[in-house]
Amino acid sequence: MNLKQIKWHSFESQVSLDQAAMERVVALAESSIKTRGQFHLVLAGGSTPKNVYTLLKNVKTDWHKWQVYFGDERCLDSGHQDRNSTMAFEAWLNHIDIPVQNIHAIPAELGPVEGAYLYNQTLSQVGDFDLVLLGLGEDAHTASLFPGRSWDNNLDALAIFDAPKPPPLRISMSPARLSRSKSVLFLVSGKEKQTAINQWKAGDLIPASTVTCNNGVDVFCFNVS
Ligand code: 6PG
């Protein structure tokens, strides 16, 4: 993806970034529901998106038309505090009347191989997403795609065995699957991400730069430039 297709947005505060991100999600939801009757959203893990999910709790929308997926998951027991899905449920999904069948959690409690196999089956029934949310790690990883690895882009969901960010066992959507979306939005906060942003802006091949989008990739930044 050429750098021209990446749109960098700097925010003066975390609050303003979170508000803008929530508004972007809602705007895309409204247009997707209007044009195709549903909104297919992929959630980012980690801690940065938590306040955005909390803001979404109070949005007035038809939650029955939302379909929620996860870009990656840690292979921990269902409900484990360190799971990305647990954070999303506690901040948002437990507080809205979204049908349980509209939330497509990754069955990571089954382990990387079985969980990835089943999530591939889930994703094989799903077309392009409307919005993919992603975070960025200090080492420029995104989802559970870490530097120095290669990935089978013929698969939608990948078994990860050696994640340097604990836990090592994970499941991640592939770069190709994360790129099958009308919109991609990264949420990046914290000075510790500056090196990764510098690499990205220099055109280095980092995991984050393997995720592309025909409509361009947006990167919302706070405390990093
Ligand atoms: C994970 C996430 C990961 C995360 C980044 C940023 O499972 O750890 O999917 O890709 O988005 O590490 O994490 P923070 O938002 O906590 O900085």
Side-chain angles (χ1 to χ4, degrees):
M1 178 176 200
N2 65 52
L3 288 173
K4 286 199 303 296
Q5 290 176 289
I6 301 172
K7 289 162 274 182
W8 306 94
H9 309 255
S10 290
F11 292 85
E12 293 301 311
S13 67
Q14 186 65 54
V15 169
S16 58
L17 184 152
D18 294 339
Q19 181 67 26
M22 180 274 287
E23 289 170 2
R24 176 68 67 91
V25 172
V26 172
L28 287 166
E30 286 171 355
S31 63
S32 303
I33 290 168
K34 191 172 175 186
T35 54
R36 77 181 220 183
Q38 282 197 318
F39 177 52
H40 293 262
L41 169 65
V42 178
L43 299 187
S47 56
T48 302
K50 183 172 181 178
N51 292 340
V52 179
Y53 299 162
T54 303
L55 289 171
L56 284 167
K57 193 167 60 174
N58 304 313
V59 165
K60 297 287 176 269
T61 182
D62 182 354
W63 294 115
H64 286 67
K65 293 186 175 164
W66 290 52
Q67 297 286 340
V68 174
Y69 308 84
F70 294 83
D72 70 325
E73 187 58 279
R74 300 136 183 224
C75 291
L76 300 166
D77 291 345
S78 200
H80 190 289
Q81 269 312 303
D82 291 346
R83 276 184 62 138
N84 292 327
S85 50
T86 302
M87 183 273 277
F89 274 108
E90 291 184 350
W92 172 31
L93 299 173
N94 283 337
H95 308 278
I96 60 175
D97 69 339
I98 186 170
V100 64
Q101 65 269 24
N102 288 25
I103 302 171
H104 308 278
I106 300 175
E109 61 280 2
L110 301 176
V113 174
E114 182 65 16
Y117 172 79
L118 291 174
Y119 212 52
N120 269 304
Q121 288 191 315
T122 298
L123 293 176
S124 67
Q125 308 300 315
V126 180
D128 289 0
F129 300 122
D130 295 300
L131 173 61
V132 168
L133 295 175
L134 287 165
L136 181 72
E138 291 179 46
D139 62 356
H141 79 261
T142 193
S144 287
L145 305 170
F146 290 88
R149 276 67 172 183
S150 58
W151 306 289
D152 182 354
N153 270 319
N154 295 309
L155 295 171
D156 286 339
L158 304 171
I160 306 291
F161 300 97
D162 57 354
K165 176 180 180 184
L169 301 183
R170 291 159 169 257
I171 292 159
S172 181
M173 283 193 197
S174 64
R177 194 52 164 107
L178 289 167
S179 301
R180 277 187 56 194
S181 181
K182 293 181 181 59
S183 299
V184 172
L185 173 59
F186 283 82
L187 306 176
V188 184
S189 297
K191 294 191 185 322
E192 70 277 10
K193 316 289 178 81
Q194 187 63 61
T195 302
I197 292 285
N198 294 345
Q199 289 172 320
W200 201 349
K201 289 187 170 180
D204 295 359
L205 181 60
I206 57 173
S209 65
T210 66
V211 181
T212 62
C213 178
N214 293 336
N215 296 326
V217 167
D218 288 291
V219 186
F220 283 9
C221 299
F222 168 61
N223 239 353
V224 68
S225 56

